[in-house]
Amino acid sequence: MALIVQKFGGTSVGSVERIEQVAAKVKKFREKGDDIVVVVSAMSGETNRLIDLAKQISEQPVARELDVMVSTGEQVTIALLAMSLIKIGVPAVSYTGSQVRILTDSAHTKARILQIDSQQIQKELKAGRVVVVAGFQGVDESGNITTLGRGGSDTTGVALAAALKADECQIYTDVDGVYTTDPRVVAKAQRLDKITFEEMLEMASLGSKVLQIRAVEFAGKYSVPLRVLHSFQEGPGTLITLDEEESMEQPIISGIAFNRDEAKLTIRGVPDTPGVAFKILGPISAANVEVDMIVQNVAHDNTTDFTFTVHRNDYHSALQVLEGIARDMGAREVVGDTEIAKVSIVGVGMRSHAGVASRMFEALAKENINIQMISTSEIKVSVVIEEKYLELAVRALHTAFELDAPAGKGE
Ligand code: ADP
Ligand code: ASP
Ligand code: MG
């Protein structure tokens, strides 16, 4: 008998019919004798609807109150799923994050899980019930409701699996596994049987929203066996694995990630003196803006240009800060661009192969796509390009690195 944590995402619980389908699926696992903890997201579109409501009151709603509100989405689905299970004869009980006591820090809208009390869940399992837990939400030391950031139900699932020492955490979604790139953008994307934690972590942090990055971090840290599967189609899905053993035979690149969430800022004609980077990025970070890529040009005529990217939501506050810095430093000008995208190739195979970056640049050059910024790490190369070329770039790279599914395969 195994203990399995199953997480179902928004589209998988998007209607009452789907919730009933999920209940039927859970029932099948129960009948095999497994203990099941189910984590659910809000019905698809619900979290966005709630955020939009809040924004009708204020462009920047108070984060504590926003959490009180957006956490209701998941509270609805846990109750509906528990009801559906009970209706088909499966004893079940629902729990909110605070009822379990998923303890988080107090960083509203992006809280981190600190500790999970698994006692109550264990008791319920022992009593033969399926436990349905609300994803995405927790509670801080003072009893305030918190949420874990968009896509956070994945993290609830993995964290619960770690706390309960579950045999597997299964993430059920609307695709049948992790693909070489988003199958909704590249029709020839292929499902991967396996991907290493390290690669999945890069893919998630570089924009592949199939798993929330913190979920992958948790799974790696606590060695939680993690699998991504389709909610309503049978299949092996994708196993996220520690083992890199086959990487020598695998393609150099495992996947292509992309993200449209960034914006670029440049400060031109900054006097080239020691401490310039600190003078620019110090106030940016003091304004709580996270910086991603950074490029400083080689100085000429004793001045330099400095470019960096931030999350698009932070663009306006970063621009304001930067304009202040430009005045203080006597810089020539500040320019910004929100119509950019970041495309990244990821693969542990890069460690043992040279020339990967130039192959990437060649593929982009062939399509006449201008590269604005570049950053590399041991297992990834990222470039910033004009947003309108994003899909073309991803498709070109997918072909160049021989990731395309053979004709007739893929979605
Ligand atoms: P859920 O609501 O179940 O959490 P998400 O929308 O968060 O589902 O994640 C699933 C989606 O992730 C897919 O529909 C797909 O469009 C997208 N996606 C992005 N990159 C990938 C990838 N490499 N492999 C599979 N899906 C991906
Ligand atoms: N409902 C939340 C969201 O839409 C959490 C999740 O679905 O994982 O981001
Ligand atoms: Mg998700």
Side-chain angles (χ1 to χ4, degrees), residues 214-324:
R214 289 199 192 144
V216 188
E217 277 169 9
F218 248 102
K221 188 165 165 195
Y222 295 100
S223 303
V224 177
L226 182 62
R227 199 181 280 277
V228 177
L229 300 136
H230 196 289
S231 297
F232 306 118
Q233 291 168 13
E234 290 303 314
T238 300
L239 183 69
I240 324 295
T241 159
L242 276 174
D243 107 56
E244 234 181 70
E245 108 225 51
E246 287 163 55
S247 68
M248 302 305 281
E249 302 149 33
Q250 278 176 350
I252 306 167
I253 298 305
S254 296
I256 301 172
F258 53 86
N259 142 12
R260 294 182 170 92
D261 297 339
E262 290 188 26
K264 190 179 75 165
L265 295 128
T266 301
I267 178 165
R268 293 218 176 101
V270 188
D272 186 34
T273 50
V276 166
F278 176 63
K279 273 190 202 140
I280 297 169
L281 295 183
I284 296 283
S285 111
N288 251 330
V289 173
E290 238 176 82
V291 170
D292 180 26
M293 284 164 90
I294 304 170
V295 171
Q296 184 183 340
N297 284 355
V298 176
H300 58 94
D301 63 29
N302 294 326
T303 72
T304 183
D305 298 344
F306 195 92
T307 303
F308 57 93
T309 63
V310 298
H311 196 282
R312 234 177 252 190
N313 292 344
D314 291 329
Y315 174 68
H316 289 288
S317 38
L319 190 63
Q320 240 178 10
V321 175
L322 200 59
E323 277 164 352

Side-chain angles (χ1 to χ4, degrees), residues 7 10 41-42 47 74 136 149-154:
K7 178 258 170 178
S41 296
T47 309
E74 274 72 9
F136 179 54
R150 299 307 305 267
S153 299
D154 295 337

Side-chain angles (χ1 to χ4, degrees), residues 74-294:
E74 274 72 9
Q75 190 165 336
V76 171
T77 42
I78 52 169
L80 287 174
L81 181 58
M83 288 172 199
S84 306
L85 285 163
I86 293 164
K87 186 169 121 183
I88 57 174
V90 180
V93 58
S94 69
Y95 277 84
T96 64
S98 73
Q99 285 175 319
V100 173
R101 200 161 152 82
I102 296 178
L103 183 71
T104 70
D105 61 20
S106 304
H108 286 290
T109 76
K110 48 177 182 249
R112 281 181 180 271
I113 296 177
L114 302 175
Q115 203 189 344
I116 293 183
D117 185 349
S118 61
Q119 268 185 22
Q120 190 61 24
I121 297 183
Q122 301 276 20
K123 234 196 251 169
E124 297 287 7
L125 290 173
K126 237 183 223 148
R129 294 190 189 97
V130 168
V131 187
V132 185
V133 179
F136 179 54
Q137 53 177 263
V139 64
D140 74 1
E141 268 302 344
S142 319
N144 297 300
I145 295 174
T146 55
T147 64
L148 310 177
R150 299 307 305 267
S153 299
D154 295 337
T155 304
T156 307
V158 176
L160 270 172
L164 293 162
K165 302 194 173 56
D167 296 284
E168 186 163 291
C169 180
Q170 302 171 342
I171 305 284
Y172 288 98
T173 183
D174 55 5
V175 280
D176 63 348
V178 178
Y179 276 65
T180 45
T181 192
D182 189 340
R184 296 187 203 287
V185 170
V186 178
K188 290 178 182 160
Q190 300 192 66
R191 184 183 57 80
L192 300 163
D193 282 324
K194 278 181 176 189
I195 183 168
T196 66
F197 278 110
E198 210 184 353
E199 289 170 321
M200 194 63 238
L201 206 58
E202 286 283 8
M203 292 279 282
S205 78
L206 295 166
S208 293
K209 290 182 178 125
V210 61
L211 282 176
Q212 202 203 29
I213 178 164
R214 289 199 192 144
V216 188
E217 277 169 9
F218 248 102
K221 188 165 165 195
Y222 295 100
S223 303
V224 177
L226 182 62
R227 199 181 280 277
V228 177
L229 300 136
H230 196 289
S231 297
F232 306 118
Q233 291 168 13
E234 290 303 314
T238 300
L239 183 69
I240 324 295
T241 159
L242 276 174
D243 107 56
E244 234 181 70
E245 108 225 51
E246 287 163 55
S247 68
M248 302 305 281
E249 302 149 33
Q250 278 176 350
I252 306 167
I253 298 305
S254 296
I256 301 172
F258 53 86
N259 142 12
R260 294 182 170 92
D261 297 339
E262 290 188 26
K264 190 179 75 165
L265 295 128
T266 301
I267 178 165
R268 293 218 176 101
V270 188
D272 186 34
T273 50
V276 166
F278 176 63
K279 273 190 202 140
I280 297 169
L281 295 183
I284 296 283
S285 111
N288 251 330
V289 173
E290 238 176 82
V291 170
D292 180 26
M293 284 164 90
I294 304 170

